[in-house]
Amino acid sequence: MKSYKTNEIKNIALLGSKGSGKTTLAESMLYECGVIKRRGTIEAGNTVCDYFPVEKEYGYSVFSTVFYAEFLNKKLNVIDCPGSEDFVGNAYTALGVTDTGVIVVDSQYGVEVGTQNIFRTTATLKKPVIFALNQLDGEKADYENVMEQMRETFGPKVIAIQYPLESGPGFHSMIDVLLMKKYEWGPEGGVPTITEIPDDQMKKAKELHNALVEAAAENDETLMDKYFEQGKLTEDEMRAGIRKGLVDRSIFPVFCVSAQKDMGVRRMMEFLGNVCPFVNDMPDAETTQCEVVKADSNGPVSLFVFKTSVEPHIGEVSYFRVMSGTLKAGADLENISRGSKERFAQIFSVCGQIRTAVDTLEAGDIGAAVKLKDVRTGNTINEKGCEYEFDFIKYPAPKYQRAIRPVNESDAEKLSAILTRMHEEDPTWIVEQSKELKQTIVKGQGEFHLRTLKWRIENNEKLQIEYLEPKIPYRETITKASRADYRHKKQSGGSGQFGEVHLIVEPYTEGMPEPDTYRFNNQEYKMSVRDKQEIPLEWGGKLVVYNCIVGGSIDARFIPAIVKGLMDRMEQGPLTGSYARDVRVMIYDGKMHPVDSNEISFRLAGRNAFSEAFKNANPKILEPIYDVEVLTPADSMGDVMSDLQSRRAIIMGMNSENGIEKLNAKVPLKEMSSYSTSLSSITGGRSSFTMNFSSYELVPGDVQEKLLKAYEETQSEE
Ligand SMILES: Nc1nc2c(ncn2[C@@H]2O[C@H](COP(=O)(O)OP(=O)(O)OP(=O)(O)O)[C@@H](O)[C@H]2O)c(=O)[nH]1
Ligand SMILES: [Mg+2]
């Protein structure tokens, strides 16, 4: 295979909502440049990009797949990304290492939630975007409708490069207003017949052509002047203008294709090869130290590993982008992120699982190596002496979680090591050892994302695991003041134990006045504060302790032991064993014994007095509430709404834009446990949501009853 120079390489991500046709488009691209002789289909499970058994089983993409297409003496490196919300992490990664995003839109559904989400991500990352209107041959395809929707959603920068003469099952020809030609295909697609534009289309074609020329000239004053002087631009000037517009995101060109019938694919590839930005048209990369690194093949060798995976029949494969320098097969490099040495005995350009060994890969190129020793996703690997380190990929926050445990308890340690590795393979799988919940929690993007983790562990690591409902991190607090005292006394043989503590507890709120006088059972308790301790709690909220001892009834040296006793109970709340928060305690009296008083006695007295006071202070359980934002097509709005209401949600607002509804609600975490699965089934996978912690709120009375009962049962079992 030819060695490609930096200025012959283009890196492209295939993006778009689930099922829009990215993998099918990839198949046609690979066919068009001769990598495959026959096009596979999703239905037959024989495409180049969906080669993992799990993808064949689900019938859609789960992993991003790298392939290259040698076309017009250029190398197009393409990453086919999964469209499913569950696997959206892959699209973020792919956008990180590519320069242009091709957003595939199913012309039968138009702009979907997934289309908008990914477009927003490209905006954040400032990446050029090209739209491919796919499935124009589909039953319900309606070109004009979709174009109108696209302009409404993404603005007037959406510019047609082509339009079909007929969309729907009769789609077989289109007018290209950049080249000003008519393209026509036979029923099998493939090589088009290119002819002059028929008279009846000339007017429309010219109008669209002029709109395109103006959009191209707009980004460059010289071009603009030329256009006004001569009324037209040469082909090269058009290309330069559009390329600049792409980089500035002031043009979003729209192409017409049927990926399945291989119509329009070749023409779009020509545009990718001729017009879309080269590596060096894009802004330079930056290291973690904010050092600017040019994609220069003469620079020091530096690779960024954006994906590692264990693949059928080969084992570990590491995918990287050459950030700088020229990587040669046989190179000895250093993994700067892990401090280890790596030999790149062989390097490859890949098409799914087809690998072609190459001698060199220059700056900007994307390639792979197999069986490296110690390489993880996100690592930077450099030639000796080079200090670059990259970390430019942003991952989405998790929104689905499960507790995980091995079926066989003795595998716990092994599982923990495997999970660490899994996170290094896919950073959107997040693992947390929760001391509070006494569970290992794994988080991800959705049920299928975690199901894939299970599949991965069970098939590749041969370890059986199970998922459980994660416990909810409840909190406990009190709602009124209360008083208690407790005497701890033990006499056994020689020295005994003695400590007595009297205290008052009260709900704590920020900025409340200092304690003064309290009344319980018609008796007045006047506090005189000697000392105050504010303890911020790791789990949120505060414990504030006042030493109000008068007349030396308890020595100051015992106060820390009493506070320890209080903390024992804050860590394991008196109601359900959950963390307690926002309480203040006034220790105002007690007793000592000249011989038997010691720290442990006061710790126990403090703990028990606090427990009793807490239980009488009208204690309540708090639950975590999340801010949830749902994006859904208008036609499923009613169902989404009633589903949310069945989850004790409080609807905070609704907003409708371009046929997509946005819904904001506050929902208890307890009720969000299987939300991603339900939402996906209610809307056929055409919606998305995000959730962020908002606050702790009191649980309703009936829920509290249930929780108390459940806790009592676990206590009596023990
Ligand atoms: N009629 C028609 N069907 C298509 C076309 N492109 C794809 N399909 C079908 O649409 C379905 C989804 O295609 P995929 O290629 O898997 O779509 P995708 O975008 O890769 O899907 P995800 O990977 O799940 O995001 C398959 O059944 C394809 O056969 C097209 O141009 N015309
Ligand atoms: Mg796919």
Side-chain angles (χ1 to χ4, degrees):
M1 178 182 170
K2 172 179 162 185
S3 218
Y4 286 89
K5 303 261 165 269
T6 302
N7 63 6
E8 296 170 324
I9 297 167
K10 305 202 176 190
N11 297 319
I12 295 151
L14 292 184
L15 309 162
S17 61
K18 187 177 167 188
S20 51
K22 300 170 289 295
T23 302
T24 308
L25 179 63
E27 200 71 9
S28 285
M29 291 173 79
L30 286 161
Y31 174 75
E32 282 299 332
C33 67
V35 174
I36 51 174
K37 298 285 168 266
R38 271 191 60 197
R39 290 185 293 130
T41 63
I42 300 296
E43 287 68 23
N46 58 353
T47 59
V48 171
C49 290
D50 286 358
Y51 61 91
F52 273 88
V54 67
E55 299 182 304
K56 294 180 192 186
E57 183 189 321
Y58 293 174
Y60 60 81
S61 308
V62 169
F63 305 104
S64 60
T65 305
V66 177
F67 69 93
Y68 67 88
E70 293 182 271
F71 198 71
L72 306 172
N73 288 322
K74 307 212 175 61
K75 187 181 181 199
L76 309 181
N77 289 313
V78 188
I79 305 183
D80 171 28
C81 300
S84 158
E85 272 290 303
D86 274 49
F87 302 103
V88 71
N90 289 277
Y92 282 66
T93 309
L95 268 172
V97 294
T98 54
D99 304 311
T100 303
V102 173
I103 299 186
V104 180
V105 177
D106 181 346
S107 316
Q108 306 187 90
Y109 290 98
V111 176
E112 298 186 67
V113 171
T115 323
Q116 291 203 20
N117 285 348
I118 198 66
F119 183 82
R120 222 173 294 127
T121 310
T122 64
T124 313
L125 300 175
K126 301 193 176 71
K127 299 286 180 175
V129 164
I130 291 164
F131 287 104
L133 290 193
N134 187 35
Q135 315 220 14
L136 273 167
D137 61 305
E139 286 293 337
K140 290 182 281 181
D142 183 343
Y143 173 82
E144 293 300 340
N145 214 350
V146 178
M147 272 312 270
E148 197 181 308
Q149 206 191 3
M150 298 258 292
R151 281 196 207 97
E152 266 171 28
T153 318
F154 306 120
K157 298 167 181 175
V158 170
I159 300 274
I161 301 284
Q162 303 156 337
Y163 68 91
L165 290 174
E166 184 183 343
S167 52
F171 171 70
H172 73 287
S173 60
M174 67 186 185
I175 304 294
D176 189 299
V177 302
L178 174 57
L179 300 180
M180 288 304 273
K181 295 281 182 212
K182 177 181 169 193
Y183 281 66
E184 196 165 2
W185 295 269
E188 296 304 313
V191 182
T193 311
I194 304 173
T195 52
E196 294 309 319
I197 296 177
D199 291 343
D200 62 341
Q201 293 298 325
M202 212 42 172
K203 186 165 167 275
K204 182 173 177 186
K206 273 194 174 148
E207 269 171 24
L208 290 171
H209 179 77
N210 289 342
L212 178 60
V213 179
E214 270 168 39
E218 211 173 63
N219 307 292
D220 191 319
E221 262 179 44
T222 9
L223 283 187
M224 202 61 171
D225 291 344
K226 249 190 159 164
Y227 175 57
F228 279 129
E229 267 166 37
Q230 303 168 2
K232 61 177 186 191
L233 294 178
T234 66
E235 209 174 309
D236 279 346
E237 287 165 345
M238 285 289 285
R239 280 181 188 170
I242 296 175
R243 186 177 302 150
K244 191 145 187 294
L246 278 165
V247 176
D248 299 345
R249 287 178 59 92
S250 59
I251 293 186
F252 303 119
V254 184
F255 284 80
C256 293
V257 291
S258 163
Q260 198 183 48
K261 294 193 168 160
D262 188 17
M263 295 177 181
V265 177
R266 191 177 185 84
R267 169 69 189 112
M268 189 178 86
M269 287 171 79
E270 282 169 10
F271 183 88
L272 294 176
N274 287 330
V275 186
C276 100
F278 285 105
V279 169
N280 280 331
D281 291 321
M282 296 301 292
D284 296 329
E286 261 187 34
T287 66
T288 48
Q289 305 295 316
C290 299
E291 201 175 340
V292 173
V293 177
K294 210 174 168 44
D296 176 3
S297 52
N298 296 316
V301 177
S302 181
L303 318 175
F304 177 75
V305 178
F306 62 90
K307 170 180 157 145
T308 53
S309 79
V310 176
E311 311 218 345
H313 317 301
I314 341 165
E316 197 143 322
V317 183
S318 311
Y319 296 87
F320 52 83
R321 171 166 166 151
V322 184
M323 302 304 295
S324 147
T326 301
L327 173 65
K328 296 194 174 84
D332 286 308
L333 304 177
E334 288 182 359
N335 185 337
I336 195 110
S337 318
R338 295 179 77 83
S340 50
K341 291 195 166 29
E342 293 288 349
R343 160 157 284 216
F344 281 63
Q346 274 190 306
I347 53 177
F348 302 94
S349 276
V350 295
C351 280
Q353 54 182 345
I354 315 165
R355 281 177 312 284
T356 313
V358 293
D359 297 331
T360 58
L361 291 168
E362 292 203 8
D365 211 342
I366 287 176
V370 298
K371 299 203 170 79
L372 295 175
K373 265 190 340 226
D374 179 28
V375 172
R376 305 284 169 235
T377 301
N379 288 173
T380 306
I381 302 178
N382 296 338
E383 70 173 53
K384 208 168 170 355
C386 172
E387 298 289 325
Y388 297 158
E389 192 164 5
F390 299 98
D391 175 22
F392 45 76
I393 295 183
K394 304 275 168 284
Y395 296 104
K399 46 195 182 199
Y400 184 85
Q401 54 182 30
R402 280 290 169 270
I404 187 172
R405 71 172 180 209
V407 170
N408 196 335
E409 241 173 73
S410 61
D411 287 332
E413 227 166 88
K414 200 168 154 202
L415 175 62
S416 149
I418 291 173
L419 287 175
T420 306
R421 211 150 9 98
M422 292 298 96
H423 170 71
E424 287 167 343
E425 192 176 303
D426 177 350
T428 56
W429 283 324
I430 292 166
V431 185
E432 248 174 51
Q433 296 296 340
S434 172
K435 196 177 108 201
E436 175 183 4
L437 307 177
K438 297 181 185 65
Q439 288 179 317
T440 302
I441 306 289
V442 289
K443 301 179 178 184
Q445 294 298 313
E447 185 188 344
F448 276 85
H449 191 212
L450 289 197
R451 231 198 248 184
T452 309
L453 175 67
K454 186 172 196 282
W455 184 92
R456 173 75 179 71
I457 295 173
E458 295 192 337
N459 283 277
N460 294 13
E461 313 288 338
K462 309 283 180 241
L463 187 91
Q464 297 298 308
I465 57 153
E466 61 189 0
Y467 284 135
L468 309 164
E469 194 71 20
K471 293 183 194 149
I472 301 294
Y474 290 109
R475 299 285 179 261
E476 298 179 10
T477 195
I478 50 175
T479 57
K480 66 170 200 187
S482 146
R483 197 203 67 81
D485 43 61
Y486 191 90
R487 174 181 295 179
H488 174 75
K489 187 176 169 187
K490 220 169 172 184
Q491 207 69 52
S492 54
S495 65
Q497 295 185 354
F498 185 93
E500 183 174 318
V501 173
H502 300 209
L503 49 74
I504 293 171
V505 300
E506 191 180 18
Y508 170 76
T509 50
E510 210 67 50
M512 68 195 290
E514 296 295 289
D516 185 11
T517 306
Y518 296 86
R519 280 192 87 81
F520 300 104
N521 292 331
N522 282 330
Q523 199 177 328
E524 200 164 87
Y525 297 82
K526 178 130 183 71
M527 298 293 120
S528 58
V529 176
R530 295 177 50 188
D531 191 22
K532 173 185 180 183
Q533 231 189 101
E534 270 196 44
I535 307 169
L537 303 166
E538 259 172 57
W539 50 89
K542 273 183 187 162
L543 167 68
V544 181
V545 186
Y546 288 90
N547 176 355
C548 306
I549 300 283
V550 281
S553 55
I554 302 176
D555 272 1
R557 68 191 162 104
F558 289 125
I559 297 292
I562 298 173
V563 173
K564 264 192 199 143
L566 304 179
M567 275 305 281
D568 287 343
R569 270 311 182 207
M570 293 297 287
E571 271 173 24
Q572 204 176 16
L575 287 190
T576 61
S578 309
Y579 289 137
R581 57 177 286 166
D582 298 327
V583 180
R584 74 173 179 183
V585 183
M586 282 62 70
I587 307 165
Y588 68 91
D589 201 2
K591 271 202 183 78
M592 288 185 295
H593 182 276
V595 182
D596 292 347
S597 277
N598 57 11
E599 288 187 359
I600 186 72
S601 309
F602 275 102
R603 181 169 180 171
L604 290 172
R607 182 195 297 179
N608 289 326
F610 179 70
S611 249
E612 198 186 319
F614 195 100
K615 284 185 182 158
N616 293 326
N618 199 10
K620 293 279 185 210
I621 299 172
L622 303 170
E623 64 179 336
I625 305 289
Y626 276 67
D627 281 322
V628 176
E629 181 173 301
V630 187
L631 293 174
T632 179
D635 56 6
S636 35
M637 178 67 174
D639 295 339
V640 170
M641 189 81 146
S642 53
D643 173 78
L644 272 175
Q645 274 154 351
S646 75
R647 295 171 191 274
R648 295 194 276 131
I650 300 174
I651 307 292
M652 306 301 289
M654 275 181 279
N655 209 322
S656 161
E657 220 171 83
N658 308 317
I660 288 175
E661 304 282 335
K662 185 164 96 181
L663 229 156
N664 290 87
K666 288 199 185 288
V667 194
L669 178 64
K670 172 93 174 68
E671 311 295 333
M672 287 299 286
S673 138
S674 59
Y675 191 60
S676 82
T677 316
S678 309
L679 183 67
S680 168
S681 85
I682 292 172
T683 64
R686 299 193 177 277
S687 51
S688 76
F689 77 102
T690 55
M691 57 189 282
N692 292 298
F693 174 73
S694 163
S695 58
Y696 268 97
E697 302 295 339
L698 298 181
V699 301
D702 57 324
V703 178
Q704 173 148 334
E705 284 304 310
K706 269 191 218 147
L707 289 169
L708 289 179
K709 218 165 145 220
Y711 184 68
E712 259 165 42
E713 274 163 21
T714 65
Q715 292 311 92
S716 50
E717 271 166 27
E718 274 169 15

